Amino acid sequence: MIDTTVDVINKLGLHARASGKLIEVTSRYRSNIQLGKGKELIDAKNIMSLLMLGAGKGTTLRLIIEGPDEQKACDEILALFAARFYEAE
């Protein structure tokens, strides 16, 4: 199990387009992937749950991944956040 944090650094936060890109990544993996603030964790494969988080720029999110491909999933998710969801800033 991987339990880490990730900072939202893109200008618009985890808005619809960024959430869609995150779903593209998380849905490729068999592992259970959860994201949230503090103890409020949601399924990171569910677009509505991601949008309801309201994670704006500067938010630190908890990322929990458990499953057979957890390390690959974690690496790709962290890279997506670090790349600011490939949005022009």
Side-chain angles (χ1 to χ4, degrees):
M1 181 174 91
I2 296 171
D3 188 343
T4 189
T5 60
V6 62
D7 294 323
V8 179
I9 59 173
N10 62 311
K11 184 178 178 181
L12 299 174
L14 206 51
H15 60 95
R17 188 169 37 251
S19 294
K21 288 180 182 179
L22 183 56
I23 293 290
E24 286 176 18
V25 171
T26 59
S27 64
R28 287 197 292 262
Y29 294 98
R30 292 177 37 218
S31 294
N32 180 30
I33 304 171
Q34 294 182 305
L35 200 60
K37 299 182 212 176
K39 295 184 186 221
E40 177 195 341
L41 296 173
I42 56 95
D43 179 2
K45 297 180 183 181
N46 182 309
I47 189 82
M48 292 307 293
S49 295
L50 284 173
L51 293 171
M52 294 297 290
L53 268 179
K57 182 176 182 176
T59 303
T60 297
L61 296 173
R62 184 175 178 199
L63 175 64
I64 299 176
I65 308 172
E66 187 171 11
D69 49 8
E70 60 190 29
Q71 190 60 57
K72 287 183 182 180
C74 183
D75 293 345
E76 192 171 353
I77 291 166
L78 293 178
L80 182 64
F81 274 85
R84 295 178 164 87
F85 298 91
Y86 306 103
E87 297 172 351
E89 296 262 347

